[in-house]
């Protein structure tokens, strides 16, 4: 049984998931109802754009140093 199969379990899973990604200093966390765990197959353009966004973010941080 997966934790997110119940409303309470899903709320806990989302809380833990968000806490994990709050620790990411240089990155991007995207949640969407449009795709699942195969986002690279279902929405490759979204993956490519997310990668470019992170590259831009890192590049701008380096130029500020």
């Amino acid at each position: 049984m997966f934790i997110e199969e119940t409303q309470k379990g899903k709320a806990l899973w989302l809380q833990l998931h968000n806490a994990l990604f709050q620790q990411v200093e240089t990155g991007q966390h995207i949640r969407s109802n449009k795709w699942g765990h195969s986002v690279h197959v279902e929405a490759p353009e979204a993956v490519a754009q997310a990668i470019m966004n992170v590259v831009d973010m890192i590049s701008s941080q380096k130029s500020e140093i």
Side-chain angles (χ1 to χ4, degrees), residues 21-34:
F21 280 95
Q22 285 178 352
Q23 298 176 47
V24 176
E25 294 179 15
T26 305
Q28 186 179 36
H29 178 207
I30 301 170
R31 287 180 36 209
S32 176
N33 292 331
K34 296 178 184 177

Side-chain angles (χ1 to χ4, degrees), residues 11-22:
L12 176 60
W13 180 86
L14 285 172
Q15 177 187 358
L16 293 171
H17 189 76
N18 289 330
L20 173 67
F21 280 95
Q22 285 178 352

Side-chain angles (χ1 to χ4, degrees), residues 34 41 57 65:
K34 296 178 184 177
V41 174
M57 184 187 323
I65 295 176

